[in-house]
Amino acid sequence: MPVVSVGMPLGPGCSTCGYCGPLGERSNAETSFKKAGFIASQLSCEVYQKMMYRGWRRSGTYCYVPDLRRSCCPQYTIRLDAIAFKPSRSQRKLINRWNHFVMQGHKSETSDSLLQQGISSARMPTRPSKSKGNASKRDPPNFSLSTSVHAAESDFISPNATVRHKFEVTLEPSTYSEEKYALYMLYQRQIHHDPHNTPEDFKRFLVKSPLKNEPIPYRASAPDYLPSQYGSFHQMYRLDGELIAVGVIDILPGCVSSVYFMYDPKHDKYSLGKLSALREASLAREIHDAGAANMTSLAMGFYIHSCPKMKYKGGYSPSYLADPEEFTWFPLADCVPQLEKFRYAAFVHPEHSLEGPQDPGEGPPACVSEELLNEVMVIYSMQQGAISIIPINSSHRWNDEYNREEIISCVDALGAELSREIIFR
């Protein structure tokens, strides 16, 4: 039975900004604007993917779409083509450095040879030899991303191998544990200077999800380490049994979506956040290669050109940004000149781009046709598991001016197709 997507519409809002404030602080003024919000009771994975590709993101069950035109730090939806992605030289070095640490320990404790033993030649790519001429530094002939990211994992190492550390990466449903919460607190305190988080805060932000699990239609039997269902997951990183990192991800029909990543700061020098993006790109490619042909991308959240800590996402190529008005995709490299020139950049209609930091104020009011409103449904009653629905403009909420404005803003931000697919409450 198909999943029915249900939620409550919310209107525009604003908040302080966490991207341009001092380290560990937010901006003093409310300069981050949202077009609309949505509290999701449940969503199909396909519906949520469509929402993401129209600029929406989720934080727990709360979904929102930024107003890029008004915000101090415009947030552009970015996705990486995981099939065409080839790691750069620096990204390959990150993988090799971590693998070397796992296999042989820190350089002060062991020889400086790289992964000399324990990995079969079929699983570990050979290190390309230096050659004369203009050989590409970006794509050595023997490098495989999926082989390399698994090379130091205990499940992929020869049983006869001698290794310094045991490294495990597993995928599990998005659930709460004291171990995960302790890691989250450590990460928030030391990296973001934010010590004020309760277990409920953690659950609300990184555990609760409106996504309903649905089977992945592999064409053949997939390896056991790949997920069997779409939905929300925690990717668990363990070193010698200790939880050192957790990647919060959504696995959707066309993409793996990065939600959040947290790690033990004592491993900061290994750039685990960047490594996690490489692993997630590899996961999307591996799901695709196992027979889920629509899985082609890594959705990396938001790209914020003015924020150095978010700008790194542009280092994964080929990446694309969604136009903030038409929601069509443009190569990031083609967008950079406009992003450098304008605070708000519109790619389809560059004449709409805006310079200067000031908020231009509210744009034209959202406008939704009566015809569409007749097709947008809201729950009228629920009895013994059966729900009755009516057009939203016939509901009691429509009679209240404030509720009516929230509904119109949400429907406008979702667009006609999605608004018809979701039942409001």
Side-chain angles (χ1 to χ4, degrees):
M1 181 179 294
V3 175
V4 177
S5 298
V6 180
M8 183 174 70
L10 299 174
C14 60
S15 64
T16 55
C17 178
Y19 299 110
C20 59
L23 183 64
E25 299 179 24
R26 300 183 67 85
S27 62
N28 292 323
E30 293 184 332
T31 55
S32 182
F33 290 85
K34 297 175 180 63
K35 287 182 181 178
F38 182 79
I39 298 177
S41 301
Q42 63 178 45
L43 293 173
S44 76
C45 292
E46 183 177 3
V47 161
Y48 179 60
Q49 180 176 294
K50 290 178 182 178
M51 289 175 67
M52 281 201 322
Y53 286 175
R54 284 186 62 86
W56 291 75
R57 291 292 286 182
R58 74 172 186 88
S59 176
T61 61
Y62 170 64
C63 303
Y64 63 97
V65 56
D67 187 339
L68 281 66
R69 183 175 170 274
R70 299 190 65 188
S71 294
C72 55
C73 299
Q75 303 168 53
Y76 297 87
T77 298
I78 183 171
R79 68 173 179 88
L80 169 69
D81 184 337
I83 309 305
F85 173 59
K86 291 179 173 58
S88 66
R89 185 184 186 190
S90 63
Q91 289 162 347
R92 298 194 305 269
K93 286 176 69 175
L94 282 177
I95 297 171
N96 290 335
R97 186 166 176 250
W98 174 254
N99 289 347
H100 181 275
F101 165 69
V102 171
M103 298 295 293
Q104 299 197 14
H106 190 269
K107 63 182 180 180
S108 64
E109 303 171 334
T110 186
S111 65
D112 57 1
S113 60
L114 180 63
L115 302 178
Q116 290 179 346
Q117 46 185 322
I119 304 175
S120 68
S121 58
R123 290 194 179 278
M124 183 62 186
T126 57
R127 188 183 182 95
S129 59
K130 294 181 180 179
S131 59
K132 296 179 182 179
N134 296 319
S136 171
K137 294 181 179 180
R138 184 171 187 85
D139 187 21
N142 295 323
F143 186 86
S144 162
L145 176 60
S146 59
T147 299
S148 296
V149 298
H150 293 304
E153 287 181 45
S154 60
D155 286 346
F156 289 77
I157 295 174
S158 167
N160 300 321
T162 300
V163 297
R164 178 75 62 171
H165 300 287
K166 182 179 182 181
F167 178 51
E168 303 165 276
V169 180
T170 56
L171 204 59
E172 67 179 44
S174 178
T175 54
Y176 176 83
S177 74
E178 291 291 337
E179 185 183 35
K180 294 176 190 176
Y181 173 61
L183 178 65
Y184 175 68
M185 286 294 292
L186 179 67
Y187 175 75
Q188 290 296 108
R189 185 169 57 249
Q190 294 194 24
I191 300 298
H192 294 294
H193 308 284
D194 175 19
H196 306 295
N197 289 280
T198 67
E200 285 305 314
D201 293 331
F202 173 62
K203 291 175 188 177
R204 183 168 55 251
F205 178 33
L206 297 175
V207 176
K208 293 181 180 178
S209 170
L211 304 187
K212 306 303 288 185
N213 293 113
E214 301 167 71
I216 298 177
Y218 293 113
R219 285 199 299 268
S221 179
D224 290 342
Y225 66 89
L226 291 180
S228 61
Q229 294 183 310
Y230 299 125
S232 297
F233 296 88
H234 288 167
Q235 195 164 40
M236 311 284 283
Y237 296 66
R238 294 186 182 278
L239 189 69
D240 301 326
E242 179 187 357
L243 185 65
I244 63 166
V246 176
V248 182
I249 60 175
D250 292 332
I251 298 177
L252 307 173
C255 67
V256 172
S257 174
S258 305
V259 178
Y260 200 74
F261 186 76
M262 56 188 177
Y263 61 88
D264 188 330
K266 70 185 178 186
H267 297 292
D268 193 49
K269 64 182 177 181
Y270 291 105
S271 301
L272 294 181
K274 293 179 180 179
L275 281 172
S276 75
L278 294 167
R279 293 194 67 95
E280 289 162 14
S282 179
L283 176 60
R285 176 63 185 262
E286 291 173 71
I287 294 172
H288 171 275
D289 290 351
N294 291 333
M295 176 66 73
T296 59
S297 302
L298 173 64
M300 301 183 74
F302 291 132
Y303 176 81
I304 303 175
H305 193 71
S306 59
C307 178
K309 68 182 180 182
M310 299 293 280
K311 201 174 177 179
Y312 79 92
K313 297 177 183 182
Y316 299 80
S317 179
S319 288
Y320 300 82
L321 298 186
D323 177 75
E325 298 174 355
E326 302 290 336
F327 307 107
T328 49
W329 296 100
F330 287 77
L332 174 60
D334 295 348
C335 300
V336 168
Q338 282 181 267
L339 295 168
E340 292 283 353
K341 182 177 181 181
F342 299 104
R343 176 188 58 79
Y344 166 71
F347 311 128
V348 174
H349 297 287
E351 67 275 13
H352 296 173
S353 300
L354 298 172
E355 293 184 84
Q358 67 275 11
D359 169 21
E362 295 183 14
C367 183
V368 178
S369 70
E370 195 71 22
E371 180 183 4
L372 175 57
L373 290 168
N374 285 329
E375 299 177 63
V376 177
M377 297 292 121
V378 65
I379 294 175
Y380 176 68
S381 67
M382 296 183 65
Q383 292 183 349
Q384 298 179 344
I387 63 172
S388 299
I389 58 175
I390 59 174
I392 201 162
N393 55 354
S394 299
S395 69
H396 70 276
R397 291 197 66 188
W398 188 256
N399 296 327
D400 180 88
E401 182 179 357
Y402 179 77
N403 286 334
R404 187 163 60 247
E405 290 177 359
E406 287 195 316
I407 291 167
I408 290 173
S409 296
C410 190
V411 169
D412 181 63
L414 287 168
E417 179 186 349
L418 272 171
S419 295
R420 293 187 185 102
E421 292 188 52
I422 292 172
I423 297 177
F424 291 95
R425 60 177 179 83

